[in-house]
């Protein structure tokens, strides 16, 4: 979905991610329709990392468990260790 609003949402998500504003990132990546199929990898990566940083480890695992992205898989593995003790 390539609307001006969606472009602003994605740009804001990337800026907040770089600024390590994890709560803001989660709000911005929640608008799934603003992210194309190709952009879903980036969206999921930002979502999973944000959840991990906020110590929401079970949510981190749930959000990223189907990802094929190696970076996301690494974060999910770390979250799984925290969930499973």
């Amino acid at each position: 979905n390539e609307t001006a609003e969606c472009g602003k949402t994605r740009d804001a998500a990337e800026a907040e991610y770089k600024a390590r504003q994890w709560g803001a990132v989660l709000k911005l990546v929640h608008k799934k329709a603003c992210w194309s199929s190709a952009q879903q990898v980036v969206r999921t990566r930002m979502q999973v990392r944000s959840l991990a940083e906020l110590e929401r480890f079970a949510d981190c695992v749930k959000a990223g468990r189907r990802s094929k992205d190696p970076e996301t898989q690494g974060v999910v593995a770390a979250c799984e260790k925290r969930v499973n003790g």
Side-chain angles (χ1 to χ4, degrees):
N1 193 351
E2 201 45 54
T3 65
E5 181 183 337
C6 281
K8 288 179 184 176
T9 296
R10 290 190 307 273
D11 290 346
E14 290 180 25
E16 296 291 8
Y17 185 82
K18 289 177 184 170
R20 304 170 81 87
Q21 298 299 312
W22 310 118
V25 173
L26 289 178
K27 288 178 185 170
L28 292 161
V29 299
H30 188 70
K31 291 186 174 185
K32 198 173 184 178
C34 281
W35 303 78
S36 71
S37 296
Q39 294 164 328
Q40 289 299 322
V41 171
V42 173
R43 178 188 163 273
T44 301
R45 184 183 301 149
M46 289 195 289
Q47 180 183 27
V48 168
R49 171 79 188 277
S50 297
L51 291 166
E53 293 291 345
L54 293 170
E55 298 184 4
R56 292 173 52 187
F57 302 117
D59 291 334
C60 164
V61 173
K62 184 177 178 183
R65 71 174 147 221
R66 291 191 178 106
S67 177
K68 305 285 188 242
D69 175 54
E71 185 177 329
T72 301
Q73 288 175 339
V75 176
V76 169
C79 289
E80 285 175 332
K81 287 180 183 175
R82 296 296 292 267
V83 169
N84 298 324

